[in-house]
Amino acid sequence: SQKIEQNSEALNIQEGKTATLTCNYTNYSPAYLQWYRQDPGRGPVFLLLIRENEKEKRKERLKVTFDTTLKQSLFHITASQPADSATYLCALNTNAGKSTFGDGTTLTVKP
Amino acid sequence: DAGVIQSPRHEVTEMGQEVTLRCKPISGHNSLFWYRQTMMRGLELLIYFNNNVPIDDSGMPEDRFSAKMPNASFSTLKIQPSEPRDSAVYFCASSSYSGGMTDTQYFGPGTRLTVL
């Protein structure tokens, strides 16, 4: 059956360090993958999209990689700040336009 | 743009009552999604529409749930009769979709439903 796993439910790091979040999937052939941020009491907010033929995407302090052989995406936040504390969701998309979300990883950046 | 608008923001009802959640997507978007989020099950897609037509409702949990999109600017999700296990946050999202590639989804603030 299709499955999306995000590395852990919670990740705690020190301010200034790089946070690395993992999204693994099985039995999918996604056309592209997205990462979202969700703060408590709010809806998810889009961060980055990476297509199946792209290896890496960057946006400011964010970097996403996509390895379709390993069936894995890594999401990095460099020079992390307490304001980066949130839950991060990965979502796999087929060409049919349907998104399937992982359960999310809650990141806490300590000052 | 006001973004995706959902109402009500909070709903508390008693078991057996009918509940109607409302969504206004972003103007110009042609895809609309209804999700449910709980601690146990995460974010689940219930149903999505393209150009007001339901495309995939395989996530709708039971016949008690129904969704409509009478026009491009309005959708409803109805639960009748409601049960305590329906308690969750319900999100509506919209995006642009054209022939195989969908744009990113923009989520509304959600409706927190509590069924007593």
Side-chain angles (χ1 to χ4, degrees):
Chain A
S1 63
Q2 296 176 325
K3 198 173 181 181
I4 302 172
E5 286 187 340
Q6 295 194 234
N7 56 329
S8 60
E9 286 189 7
L11 181 64
N12 299 313
I13 65 168
Q14 207 67 36
E15 182 177 8
K17 301 293 186 184
T18 296
T20 298
L21 285 67
T22 305
C23 178
N24 294 298
Y25 60 92
T26 54
N27 297 321
Y28 273 106
S29 295
Y32 55 102
L33 185 149
Q34 302 182 65
W35 284 89
Y36 287 78
R37 169 183 173 141
Q38 186 174 22
D39 291 284
R42 308 188 74 130
V45 175
F46 170 77
L47 296 175
L48 281 169
L49 180 152
I50 187 164
R51 293 180 171 79
E52 59 179 338
N53 60 350
E54 297 176 317
K55 296 293 184 185
E56 183 179 296
K57 209 77 167 287
R58 290 176 184 260
K59 178 182 176 182
E60 298 173 350
R61 295 183 296 110
L62 308 180
K63 185 177 84 171
V64 173
T65 62
F66 193 12
D67 189 326
T68 55
T69 300
L70 291 179
K71 297 186 182 297
Q72 180 182 78
S73 174
L74 299 179
F75 176 77
H76 306 273
I77 306 174
T78 58
S80 60
Q81 305 166 359
D84 295 327
S85 299
T87 296
Y88 292 86
L89 303 164
C90 71
L92 272 63
N93 295 75
T94 66
N95 281 330
K98 178 178 175 177
S99 296
T100 304
F101 283 80
D103 289 340
T105 296
T106 299
L107 172 67
T108 301
V109 181
K110 298 180 179 179
Chain B
D1 196 325
V4 175
I5 299 173
Q6 291 187 248
S7 64
R9 293 294 311 277
H10 301 274
E11 176 81 31
V12 180
T13 190
E14 292 189 346
M15 183 174 64
Q17 297 297 307
E18 177 180 297
V19 175
T20 300
L21 311 181
R22 297 173 177 79
C23 176
K24 177 178 169 55
I26 293 173
S27 177
H29 282 182
N30 60 354
S31 290
L32 184 139
F33 306 79
W34 281 102
Y35 291 89
R36 176 172 68 177
Q37 189 172 40
T38 62
M39 290 293 292
M40 290 297 294
R41 299 175 68 90
L43 192 64
E44 303 174 278
L45 177 66
L46 300 177
I47 185 172
Y48 78 98
F49 297 83
N50 279 345
N51 297 316
N52 312 338
V53 176
I55 301 300
D56 186 340
D57 65 353
S58 59
M60 296 285 263
E62 300 170 29
D63 291 344
R64 299 184 296 106
F65 286 69
S66 62
K68 293 183 180 179
M69 192 165 185
N71 57 62
S73 59
F74 183 66
S75 176
T76 59
L77 178 68
K78 186 177 291 186
I79 308 173
Q80 165 66 16
S82 58
E83 297 182 3
R85 60 192 167 124
D86 301 330
S87 297
V89 180
Y90 291 81
F91 288 104
C92 175
S94 71
S95 70
S96 295
Y97 176 73
S98 59
M101 174 62 75
T102 189
D103 203 348
T104 185
Q105 293 179 35
Y106 294 83
F107 282 77
T111 295
R112 182 173 294 276
L113 173 65
T114 302
V115 183
L116 302 175

